[in-house]
């Protein structure tokens, strides 16, 4: 079979129909209560869209190369996630004032601990050591530390407002700083120092894109996959929202707090990136996995906060961004462990496991605060 046939999402391929089916199911079930059988079918459509998104992200990465391919998937997921947050905040329901903070923090913990930890664990499994470029990974993590500190930690300690909120001028500064950091990161990653973000072999030499993906697909195939990727991600995020009442019922039945629903939804929304990153790690391209993890974390903050800052005058509820003391401790622990892991340029399965334990701690404490 030719490389073109391998990458082309043809009519008979499930990766073409799964995103479309997911979008149809989303349109048919939006804002409706779901009986048990229908909820199962919606769940099946959601996971079909997740797997299709991973496939189409890989096709795009094969066309544009790394690290640009990782950026496309990270930004696509984040933009749709931001749209969902803004829609829910505009509804004015109870609890939406902390929705952005809780969603961004959940995404942050899942990416820097869950995705990064899983991929280091997988990458070191067959080879004994997971190898990556410390210059690029450390720079990316430094950007995540900066925007997370500015947007999620500082509001807890500022005094301009009584609660964990920024004043309008403080929010504007945090938004401009966040988008500036993210823009400079993308410029560094794709133009000035692209070699820092390319996966390396055991000898530390950069790997070619063709080693991972085979020959690049045609421009037409890549554009079709880009469109299907967007449809798949809309379906993933939308169906996660459709399933949220069922998730809420399950959370209530388990005796967990309602805030745990956000954690479950974040885990579902980030599934495409998690599966794509794990596939890279199993192929020995842990740098690609870290590009996805840290790029997603930075995009989640660098796109969400500026968007909400611009829309804040039109939102009926306040915007509480500051984390509580328990979450600040978890965030600091995550950053310290992440820095100690990344600075070496190589890591064992033990290092990946430590990061995963921090994710488990976050999930457990979200269920049992």
């Amino acid at each position: 079979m030719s490389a073109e046939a391998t990458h082309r999402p043809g009519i008979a391929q499930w990766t073409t129909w799964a995103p479309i089916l997911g979008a149809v199911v989303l349109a048919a079930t939006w804002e409706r209560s779901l009986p048990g059988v229908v909820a199962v079918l919606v769940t099946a459509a959601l996971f079909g869209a997740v797997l299709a998104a991973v496939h189409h992200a890989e096709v795009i990465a094969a066309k544009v190369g790394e690290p640009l391919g990782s950026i496309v998937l990270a930004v696509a997921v984040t933009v749709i996630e931001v749209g969902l947050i803004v829609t829910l905040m505009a509804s004015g329901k109870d609890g939406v004032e902390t929705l952005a903070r809780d969603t961004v923090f959940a995404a942050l913990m899942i990416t820097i601990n869950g995705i990064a930890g899983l991929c280091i664990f997988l990458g070191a499994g067959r080879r004994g050591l997971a190898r990556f470029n410390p210059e690029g990974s450390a720079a990316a993590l430094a950007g995540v530390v900066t925007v997370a500190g500015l947007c999620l930690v500082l509001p807890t300690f500022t005094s301009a407002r009584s609660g964990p909120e920024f004043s309008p001028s403080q929010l504007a500064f945090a938004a401009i700083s966040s988008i500036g950091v993210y823009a400079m990161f993308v410029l560094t990653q794709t133009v000035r120092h692209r070699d820092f973000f390319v996966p390396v072999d055991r000898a530390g030499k950069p790997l070619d894109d063709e080693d991972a993906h085979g020959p690049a697909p045609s421009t037409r195939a890549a554009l079709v996959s880009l469109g299907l990727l967007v449809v798949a991600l809309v379906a993933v995020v939308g169906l996660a929202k459709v399933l949220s009442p069922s998730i809420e019922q399950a959370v209530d039945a388990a005796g967990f707090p309602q805030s745990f629903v956000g954690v479950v939804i974040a885990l579902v929304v980030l599934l495409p990136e998690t599966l794509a990153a794990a596939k890279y790690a199993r192929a020995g391209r842990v740098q690609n996995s870290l590009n996805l993890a840290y790029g997603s974390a930075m995009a989640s903050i660098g796109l969400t906060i500026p968007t909400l800052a611009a829309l804040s005058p039109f939102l009926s509820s306040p915007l509480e961004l500051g984390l509580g003391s328990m979450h600040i401790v978890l965030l600091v622990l995550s950053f310290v462990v992440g820095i100690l892991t990344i600075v070496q340029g190589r890591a064992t399965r033990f290092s990946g496991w430590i990061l995963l334990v921090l994710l488990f701690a976050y999930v457990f404490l979200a269920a049992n605060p």
Side-chain angles (χ1 to χ4, degrees), residues 67 133 136 186-198:
N133 196 319
V186 172
L187 178 65
T188 301
Q189 191 180 31
T190 58
V191 180
R192 299 291 295 178
H193 297 285
R194 180 180 177 274
D195 54 312
F196 286 178
F197 300 90
V198 175

Side-chain angles (χ1 to χ4, degrees), residues 33 67 83 92 134 146 178 180 201 221 248 265 276 280 314-315 326 333:
S33 59
T146 300
S178 297
D201 59 18
E248 289 174 1
I265 293 176
Y280 282 134
F314 309 101
L315 298 176
M326 180 183 70
L333 282 173

Side-chain angles (χ1 to χ4, degrees), residues 143 146-147 150 172-188 298 301-303 306:
T146 300
V147 294
L150 283 174
F173 174 80
I176 294 171
S177 299
S178 297
I179 202 166
V181 169
Y182 184 66
M184 183 58 70
F185 167 70
V186 172
L187 178 65
T188 301
M298 205 181 311
I301 303 174
L303 297 179

Side-chain angles (χ1 to χ4, degrees), residues 46-74:
L46 186 151
F47 281 100
V50 166
L51 296 174
V54 174
H55 167 80
H56 294 300
E58 185 181 28
V59 174
I60 294 167
K63 179 62 179 178
V64 302
E66 290 295 339
L68 192 56
S70 299
I71 293 175
V72 170
L73 178 57

Side-chain angles (χ1 to χ4, degrees), residues 35-363:
V37 175
V38 176
V40 172
L41 295 176
V42 170
T43 302
L46 186 151
F47 281 100
V50 166
L51 296 174
V54 174
H55 167 80
H56 294 300
E58 185 181 28
V59 174
I60 294 167
K63 179 62 179 178
V64 302
E66 290 295 339
L68 192 56
S70 299
I71 293 175
V72 170
L73 178 57
V75 171
V77 171
T78 304
V79 168
I80 297 169
E81 182 183 350
V82 169
L84 179 62
I85 292 173
V86 171
T87 300
L88 293 176
M89 290 198 70
S91 68
K93 295 180 180 179
D94 293 338
V96 296
E97 63 275 0
T98 62
L99 176 66
R101 178 197 68 191
D102 294 341
T103 303
V104 169
F105 184 64
L108 186 62
M109 296 300 287
I110 292 167
T111 51
I112 67 173
N113 290 325
I115 297 179
L118 175 64
C119 293
I120 289 174
F121 188 85
L122 293 175
R126 294 182 180 177
R127 299 164 180 82
L129 285 174
R131 296 183 182 273
F132 42 86
N133 196 319
E135 289 91 347
S137 301
L141 184 55
V144 175
V145 171
T146 300
V147 294
L150 283 174
C151 298
L152 300 179
V153 177
L154 282 180
T156 303
F157 300 100
T158 54
S159 56
R161 294 290 178 93
S162 58
E165 301 176 44
F166 275 142
S167 67
S169 60
Q170 291 170 339
L171 181 60
F173 174 80
I176 294 171
S177 299
S178 297
I179 202 166
V181 169
Y182 184 66
M184 183 58 70
F185 167 70
V186 172
L187 178 65
T188 301
Q189 191 180 31
T190 58
V191 180
R192 299 291 295 178
H193 297 285
R194 180 180 177 274
D195 54 312
F196 286 178
F197 300 90
V198 175
V200 296
D201 59 18
R202 294 187 180 185
K205 296 180 180 179
L207 293 171
D208 294 330
D209 287 320
E210 193 164 321
D211 294 338
H213 305 292
S218 67
T219 301
R220 177 181 177 277
L223 289 175
V224 171
S225 280
L226 178 61
L228 290 172
L229 173 63
V230 173
V231 174
L233 294 177
V234 169
V236 169
V237 178
L239 292 174
K241 173 63 174 63
V242 168
L243 286 170
S244 60
S246 300
I247 297 173
E248 289 174 1
Q249 294 173 7
V251 167
D252 282 337
F256 297 156
Q258 277 301 302
S259 58
F260 189 72
V261 175
V263 178
V264 177
I265 293 176
L267 287 167
V268 173
V269 168
L270 288 169
L271 262 179
E273 287 164 296
T274 302
L275 294 178
K279 188 172 184 179
Y280 282 134
R282 287 194 297 269
R285 302 173 69 89
V286 177
Q287 183 62 55
N288 288 1
S289 302
L290 295 178
N291 290 345
L292 262 178
Y294 297 144
S296 296
M298 205 181 311
S300 182
I301 303 174
L303 297 179
T304 302
I305 302 305
T307 301
L308 293 177
L311 296 176
S312 59
F314 309 101
L315 298 176
S316 58
S317 59
L319 186 60
E320 296 184 4
L321 294 176
L323 295 171
S325 56
M326 180 183 70
H327 286 163
I328 290 176
V329 170
L330 282 173
L331 187 63
V332 171
L333 282 173
S334 300
F335 285 151
V336 170
V337 173
I339 291 169
L340 293 174
T341 300
I342 294 303
V343 72
Q344 300 291 334
R346 57 183 186 174
T348 64
R349 299 181 80 179
F350 176 64
S351 298
W353 181 248
I354 293 174
L355 290 171
L356 288 172
V357 167
L358 288 173
L359 174 67
F360 300 153
Y362 163 67
V363 174

